[in-house]
Amino acid sequence: MLHIWKLAAAATVAASLMTGTAFAQTMLRSSDTHPDGYPTVEAVKHFGELIKERTDGRYTVEVYHSAQLGQEADTIEQVRTGVIDLNRVSMGPWNGLIPETTVPSLPYVFRSVDHARKVMNGPIGDEILAAFEPHGVIGLAFYDGGARSFYNSRKPINSAEDLKGMKFRVMQSDIFVDMVAALGASATPMPYGEVYSGIETGVIDGAENNFPSYDTARHAEVAKHFSLDEHLIVPEVLVMSKVSWDKLSPEDQAIFKQAAKDSVEKQYELWDAQVAKSREIVEAGGSQITEPDKQAFIDAMKPVYDKHVTDPKLQDLVKRIRETQ
Ligand code: GTR
């Protein structure tokens, strides 16, 4: 290993002697809670390949998948302080810090996954990306996190009524706690990595997520009742530490921004394939999928909007999202 490293270093020196220019190689560390192969992990790897190609190898990206660098809330602190360079996380854990992130985290704010893609990939998305900067990170791009639905270990959910009295894990954001309360159930915010054992030991009855997470985090093994209510379509976000960003030249910053945008289509393709594949896997594994009437869920969400969308700026964002065709 050491030997190879020495050879590589020698090659670098030789290259700089020949061209007369010194070039340093910088490896950027990126975090993801999901396992290797998951669409977000692969999309950030693709972003890294584009960066490497477009900076002639001056920058590379290493994705630390499977929460190797910690649970999302911790890695958000790490990226804000510059301990890590990049992070791919959900919008949910940003809600307490950045008001604009609460809007795409609201239940049923998007009509469909396509609607969410259209909004987040357009001017409204750019506006929300810009809101990250005062908080120590640069918002680079939004990925698709699909639609999230409830699942549990106890019983099939055939209507919104059936959720009453149950206990669900949610991501760490008040919006999700209030969303579950509005359905007559109770919510326990906890890190993603603790959900499996939480359900297995009965600390919680279930959780809510998309098919790929339900499958790859193995929640389907312990919570067989999946109700396709699609209450949330929360985008994923790729951010870069401002500490790392400020070290880039303006030209390289433009390359990074473009590469992130260019990785979005790739993530969408991988995402669509993974949703179909994961659904097949969980059904083959015995998960029972019910399709309760969504209108009762939608109607129940009024108190969540009344409490969380009071700022005129956020009200305007909600309005413009709804108007986007
Ligand atoms: C997933 C999302 C993760 C994480 C997780 C969770 O769908 O991709 O970033 O937020 O949900 O529920 O904690």
Side-chain angles (χ1 to χ4, degrees):
M1 205 53 200
L2 187 64
H3 185 60
I4 296 171
W5 177 83
K6 274 187 183 160
L7 274 181
T12 308
V13 172
S16 41
L17 281 178
M18 278 188 306
T19 59
T21 55
F23 78 89
Q25 245 195 1
T26 306
M27 192 268 275
L28 302 168
R29 299 197 305 157
S30 190
S31 172
D32 200 304
T33 196
H34 292 300
D36 203 16
Y38 195 93
T40 52
V41 172
E42 295 308 307
V44 178
K45 284 189 198 166
H46 179 66
F47 161 75
E49 282 157 20
L50 296 177
I51 296 286
K52 187 176 174 192
E53 198 180 290
R54 297 174 187 178
T55 64
D56 298 320
R58 287 179 292 112
Y59 289 96
T60 57
V61 174
E62 184 73 31
V63 182
Y64 291 79
H65 53 78
S66 314
Q68 291 172 68
L69 301 177
Q71 297 294 322
E72 282 191 353
D74 302 326
T75 61
I76 284 179
E77 278 320 300
Q78 292 172 26
V79 76
R80 290 184 68 204
T81 51
V83 173
I84 57 174
D85 307 288
L86 293 151
N87 204 357
R88 192 298 309 162
V89 281
S90 170
M91 290 287 265
W94 296 96
N95 290 172
L97 191 68
I98 310 176
E100 287 84 348
T101 66
T102 60
V103 174
S105 308
L106 286 164
Y108 298 108
V109 73
F110 297 115
R111 291 184 294 276
S112 63
V113 165
D114 282 344
H115 180 216
R117 286 183 181 183
K118 181 106 189 279
V119 170
M120 300 313 286
N121 236 338
I124 298 178
D126 287 341
E127 213 175 298
I128 299 173
L129 278 181
F132 282 82
E133 186 159 354
H135 302 278
V137 291
I138 303 296
L140 290 177
F142 292 114
Y143 292 147
D144 194 348
R148 299 172 72 109
S149 294
F150 289 105
Y151 45 84
N152 79 91
S153 61
R154 281 179 41 201
K155 59 176 194 195
I157 302 299
N158 293 307
S159 74
E161 282 286 307
D162 293 337
L163 293 171
K164 290 213 162 109
M166 294 182 85
K167 199 167 180 184
F168 291 94
R169 174 269 177 178
V170 291
M171 284 188 279
Q172 284 128 311
S173 160
D174 290 349
I175 291 191
F176 308 139
V177 173
D178 293 335
M179 170 188 81
V180 170
L183 290 161
S186 67
T188 308
M190 66 167 78
Y192 187 55
E194 290 170 21
V195 178
Y196 181 96
S197 65
I199 300 174
E200 196 183 28
T201 58
V203 169
I204 44 175
D205 297 317
E208 49 82 54
N209 223 313
N210 48 50
F211 278 119
S213 294
Y214 175 59
D215 164 30
T216 61
R218 302 190 295 118
H219 298 171
E221 284 176 10
V222 287
K224 298 268 178 228
H225 306 289
F226 190 103
S227 85
L228 202 59
D229 50 80
E230 303 184 314
H231 53 270
L232 290 173
I233 298 179
V234 185
E236 314 278 22
V237 65
L238 174 64
V239 297
M240 183 160 184
S241 173
K242 194 152 172 355
V243 176
S244 316
W245 179 257
D246 288 342
K247 290 182 190 151
L248 299 177
S249 67
E251 294 76 25
D252 286 341
Q253 289 179 345
I255 290 176
F256 275 57
K257 276 225 161 122
Q258 192 56 46
K261 293 270 179 195
D262 291 346
S263 68
V264 171
E265 273 307 316
K266 172 92 178 171
Q267 197 267 346
Y268 287 176
E269 261 170 49
L270 295 169
W271 182 256
D272 290 340
Q274 186 67 49
V275 171
K277 185 175 157 200
S278 285
R279 184 167 178 165
E280 244 175 60
I281 292 174
V282 299
E283 286 192 278
S287 284
Q288 300 294 323
I289 301 174
T290 53
E291 294 195 25
D293 176 22
K294 278 194 207 170
Q295 197 53 48
F297 286 81
I298 297 171
D299 295 344
M301 292 305 129
K302 192 174 177 311
V304 180
Y305 280 73
D306 289 348
K307 179 171 168 192
H308 294 278
V309 197
T310 51
D311 178 340
K313 196 161 87 188
L314 302 190
Q315 285 171 345
D316 177 60
L317 266 176
V318 170
K319 182 169 167 278
R320 282 187 288 136
I321 289 178
R322 295 225 153 116
E323 283 167 3
T324 305
Q325 289 310 309

